Structures are given as structure tokens and as C-alpha cells.
Amino acid sequence: MPAPEDGVPGQDEGRASAVVMVGNAGPELWRRFAAHAENGANALNDWSRNIIAPIAERHAACAVYPFDKPPLPFLRWAMKAEPVAPSPLGMLIHPEYGLWHAYRAALIFDRPIALPAREERARPCDSCPDKPCLATCPVGAFTEAGYDVPACAGHLSSAAGVACMDAGCLARAACPVGRPYAREQARFHMRAFHRAVSASA
């Protein structure tokens, strides 16, 4: 049941009794999406909506997406739904999937539904003494103080950033948790990130 501070659309009107997160872990989603990857700058968002909207309609739910404007508090909802927590990179880390998972949508139901209790598990970062994620970035964009987006974007725009553009974020790949779930689409996401940062500069 969403709490008043969760910012779920329809809450104030009594139209949000349950929220189900829709996500993926590992490369399987990419394998299904790959044929659509070149269909414009918003290809993944459009594909996700086309897949999820009919499912929401079939179950009389309202689908919302992390790319909706204004942004919705997906990370807050995720932390209430499963044992994820912020990593030193800012992304949510899962004890099994590591940094290789994502949320594509949330289904909002206007009626209570039976949901499993949230599993309680320790944050992997708390038992990781070396923090390789903070030591691997070629330009030190990730520190305990936060994420230096301009440094990252500048590196990706340079000749030295080719490895990151082609292989994906090296800091993310350095995390030892969830490596079997590492995504094949790291290059796609890195290029999408670089495109978005460049457009907002």
C-alpha cells in the first residue's frame, strides 16, 4: 500500500492501492529489444511502452514510466519493493543482480492486490572493502562526494573515451556483484547517456 509520501499518481483520489514494479535483470530484455535498437533516440522507451501498455490494460492497471515528465520517484518505489539500495555510483544495487538491473515501468492498481513481503538483505557495498567502482573510472568521475557528470561527459567526447563508449561504464563493470547478469547493451546505454548529456549542454 503506498504511503502518502510516496508520490504515487492517483493517490489523493484513492486510485492507487498497490504498485507493481516492472523491470529486468541481465541481457534477456536486450536480446528481445535489439532488433528495434536503431529506431530513433527514444527506441527503448517506445518499445517498453508498446510492450507494457497492453499488459496494464489487460489487468486494469495504470502504467507509468521512468521517462515520464515530470519524473516520478521510481527509485523510492523500488527500495520499498525489493532489497535494493544506493551504491557509491548512485545507481541502486541489488544483492544478486548488482548494478545490472533496471525498472521499465510501474503498474498502479486502484484496488488492493496480494504482493509478497519485501525481502530484507544486506547492501553488498557494506561488505566490499576495496570499492573498485570508485577506483576504476579513468577521470575519477565517481567519488564519495557524488558523480561529476561534466568530467564523465568530457571524457566520453574525447579520443580517450572510446573504451568507455564501446564497452560501457568501466566503473559499473568493476562491481563484483552480479557479473553473470552484465548486460550486452552497455554500449547502447552509454551512447544514449552521452547523447542526452550533449543535448542538455
Side-chain angles (χ1 to χ4, degrees):
M1 179 73 178
E5 64 272 16
D6 290 334
V8 178
Q11 228 173 325
D12 294 340
E13 298 83 18
R15 294 186 285 105
S17 295
V19 178
V20 174
M21 304 300 291
V22 180
N24 69 287
E28 187 56 37
L29 178 141
W30 173 252
R31 291 169 185 160
R32 294 175 181 272
F33 165 69
H36 307 270
E38 303 302 326
N39 292 348
N42 298 315
L44 182 57
N45 293 350
D46 294 342
W47 182 82
S48 297
R49 194 188 298 274
N50 289 339
I51 294 295
I52 294 166
I55 297 172
E57 184 176 1
R58 187 159 63 246
H59 293 281
C62 173
V64 295
Y65 303 89
F67 46 84
D68 284 341
K69 303 295 181 188
L72 295 167
F74 264 75
L75 301 187
R76 178 184 181 87
W77 301 346
M79 287 188 284
K80 291 191 70 171
E82 60 179 342
V84 293
S87 70
L89 302 187
M91 294 175 277
L92 295 184
I93 188 167
H94 187 280
E96 179 179 351
Y97 307 128
L99 302 173
W100 303 105
H101 64 102
Y103 302 96
R104 300 295 169 197
L107 303 184
I108 302 173
F109 293 83
D110 62 3
R111 60 198 181 279
I113 60 175
L115 295 172
R118 182 187 185 279
E119 183 183 7
E120 298 297 333
R121 295 175 67 176
R123 186 179 81 135
C125 309
D126 295 336
S127 58
C128 180
D130 298 328
K131 302 289 190 292
C133 60
L134 294 179
T136 304
C137 176
V139 291
F142 296 102
T143 67
E144 295 286 1
Y147 175 31
D148 187 342
V149 176
C152 175
H155 177 67
L156 294 177
S157 298
S158 71
V162 171
C164 294
M165 287 292 286
D166 287 345
C169 176
L170 301 182
R172 185 179 189 180
C175 177
V177 184
R179 281 191 174 148
Y181 297 95
R183 294 197 207 128
E184 297 174 358
Q185 65 266 41
R187 183 173 182 268
F188 171 87
H189 284 293
M190 185 60 81
R191 291 182 180 276
F193 162 76
H194 186 245
R195 215 168 32 241
V197 171
S198 299
S200 64

